Amino acid sequence: MTRELKTATVFTGIAELVTNDAVLDGADHCEHLGRLSDAAVVVQDGRIAWVGPASQAPPADELQDVGGRAVIPGFVDSHSHLVFAGDRSQEFAARMTGARYDGGGIATSVDATRAASDDQLRALVAARVAEMRAQGTTTVEIKSGYGLSVQDEARSLRIAAEFTSETTFLGAHVVPPEFADRRSEYVDLVVGEMLSACAPYARWIDVFCEPHSAHAFTEEEARVVLSAGQDAGLGLRVHGNQLGHGPGVRLAVELGAASVDHCTFLTADDVEHLAAASDTTVATLLPGVEFSTRSPYPDARRLLDAGASIALASDCNPGTCYSSSIPFVLALAVREMRLTPAEALLAATVGSAKSLRRNDIGVIRVGNRADLTVLDAPSYLHLFYRAGVPIACALSPGGRHGR
Ligand SMILES: [Zn+2]
């Protein structure tokens, strides 16, 4: 057997390289960004082969000059709901004139998703993933949750798995209308036949644990769902504490979930739990949702100052945040949640990678995936300084894509 020779590409002309690598020789380690000026990166076979000053770059088969731009680790969007059909722009407009969000509109997306063909759903997901990549995202987690039947949840995950290895079974998104008077029967279905059909296509299981919504799940129901997922070999994620104070954070920490997402309403006790579990459970903040539902933002400062691990992600979904833009999320995190630009960037790269229990992404270091994002600017600060301007884009070294 002859082994195919892989082409090495050297990227030069990098005015500023943010590596997030805490131990990179010669880097500026201020704010944990591991920054190098006038840098080069060699990429081979989809992996980082070398990182250092451009003047010391080894020879490679191909050279790509990025022309004095900044390069950062590709964004890791660890929370999205991309498998859906239909449109809820009218609901958004109603909310902007005072209607409250309680999770009920999800049924609209479920109807449209069930009615779509496989090819229609696949094309919709492909377009959304491409839209993310064009804004600098190189890894995306995709949840099911708009099928809510055995067949429609399984096909949502089968289609999601064509685009990412980070797939999450969210059959426990809401109780579908046809089970409204039979909640316990729906939970039985989720942990029984639906879980069996979905587990082969999923890495994670998630549940919308929200006693403040009549459509979502109680602590006890969430515990049943998560335990069944764990028994089926899936990792745990939780939608918690979005609409009010509740049991989501406590349950996620108790069960060792990799992530508890939203964390908009936290008690002092919740913050303490998250700080104590910072090696295990990441608090994933989704400020695009608070923006799109005109809600108070989560207290990121309090979480960081207490020692909790945080991530930032889009929650791209048809109801509460139809934005796929991590640069938009970063701008909100700095302007509205008082993170520093460095803290925000770290949360959307290293932090979100940690929430997926991944260490091969989020940091530009030898051996990691070559997931690079280039900014049409000389410094990462322009991501915040030039809010709303599309300066971030994922690089595709050697023709390999980052997903
Ligand atoms: Zn979500």
Side-chain angles (χ1 to χ4, degrees):
M1 296 275 288
T2 51
R3 211 167 157 252
E4 194 190 340
L5 289 173
K6 304 291 183 186
T7 306
T9 303
V10 58
F11 290 95
T12 60
I14 304 173
E16 178 183 77
L17 178 70
V18 174
T19 66
N20 294 344
D21 183 351
V23 297
L24 179 65
D25 273 353
D28 173 355
H29 290 291
C30 174
E31 294 195 277
H32 310 288
L33 292 179
R35 275 186 299 155
L36 280 179
S37 302
D38 300 321
V41 175
V42 178
V43 169
Q44 188 162 22
D45 192 19
R47 298 271 160 183
I48 308 281
W50 187 90
V51 180
S55 59
Q56 296 170 24
D61 307 301
E62 287 173 5
L63 184 142
Q64 214 171 310
D65 189 332
V66 303
R69 292 178 171 82
V71 170
I72 62 175
F75 302 129
V76 177
D77 191 344
S78 54
H79 184 138
S80 87
H81 305 250
L82 300 189
V83 192
F84 67 87
D87 177 306
R88 284 158 62 190
S89 51
Q90 292 304 325
E91 183 185 316
F92 174 80
R95 211 162 48 232
M96 290 302 107
T97 51
R100 256 183 74 77
Y101 174 73
D102 73 346
I106 291 172
T108 309
S109 297
V110 171
D111 289 344
T113 303
R114 287 176 177 171
S117 70
D118 287 11
D119 282 345
Q120 285 169 331
L121 275 184
R122 186 175 288 115
L124 288 165
V125 177
R128 290 168 189 142
V129 168
E131 184 181 281
M132 286 180 156
R133 196 168 172 84
Q135 299 171 93
T137 296
T138 51
T139 301
V140 60
E141 179 263 18
I142 303 178
K143 300 174 198 299
S144 67
Y146 294 110
L148 307 186
S149 69
V150 172
Q151 183 194 328
D152 288 305
E153 283 294 296
R155 78 165 176 148
S156 294
L157 284 160
R158 187 162 37 76
I159 290 168
E162 295 173 17
F163 297 91
T164 184
S165 57
E166 303 295 346
T167 50
T168 301
F169 169 45
L170 182 59
H173 195 186
V174 292
V175 177
E178 65 269 26
F179 281 90
D181 302 324
R182 300 177 287 141
R183 297 181 63 90
S184 65
E185 273 181 50
Y186 185 66
V187 174
D188 289 346
L189 179 68
V190 168
V191 301
E193 198 186 337
M194 199 185 283
L195 175 60
S196 302
C198 290
Y201 307 107
R203 179 172 181 221
W204 306 96
I205 188 165
D206 196 342
V207 57
F208 186 14
C209 176
E210 189 63 75
H212 294 271
S213 166
H215 311 282
F217 296 85
T218 65
E219 176 177 1
E220 275 323 301
E221 291 164 340
R223 185 186 294 275
V224 168
V225 168
L226 293 169
S227 302
Q230 200 158 36
D231 291 345
L234 303 183
L236 308 185
R237 318 185 76 75
V238 177
H239 279 70
N241 302 55
Q242 176 188 357
L243 302 177
H245 292 106
V249 165
R250 199 169 17 82
L251 184 66
V253 169
E254 180 196 323
L255 297 181
S259 187
V260 53
D261 302 37
H262 287 292
C263 297
T264 311
F265 292 89
L266 299 181
T267 62
D269 214 39
D270 292 328
V271 174
E272 243 174 72
H273 274 98
L274 286 166
S278 64
D279 288 339
T280 314
T281 306
V282 174
T284 299
L285 311 179
L286 308 164
V289 174
E290 279 77 35
F291 177 87
S292 301
T293 57
R294 199 174 270 151
S295 303
Y297 288 93
D299 195 342
R301 241 336 351 122
R302 182 181 179 202
L303 284 167
L304 273 186
D305 294 345
S309 295
I310 67 161
L312 286 165
S314 72
D315 198 10
C316 182
N317 79 84
T320 56
C321 180
Y322 194 8
S323 171
S324 58
S325 173
I326 293 294
F328 174 59
V329 168
L330 292 174
L332 291 177
V334 169
R335 171 63 180 80
E336 302 294 334
M337 293 156 67
R338 299 184 183 278
L339 295 187
T340 67
E343 286 170 337
L345 181 57
L346 286 164
T349 51
V350 186
S352 38
K354 183 175 178 179
S355 86
L356 295 170
R357 303 243 163 107
R358 297 273 297 269
N359 53 25
D360 62 331
I361 53 177
V363 178
I364 298 175
R365 77 159 83 85
V366 171
N368 271 8
R369 291 174 62 105
D371 290 353
L372 307 175
T373 281
V374 64
L375 306 181
D376 196 5
S379 157
Y380 82 97
L381 286 172
H382 285 237
L383 270 173
F384 311 89
Y385 174 46
R386 308 201 68 217
V389 182
I391 64 170
C393 184
L395 272 177
S396 300
R400 284 266 312 219
H401 290 260
R403 327 194 143 73

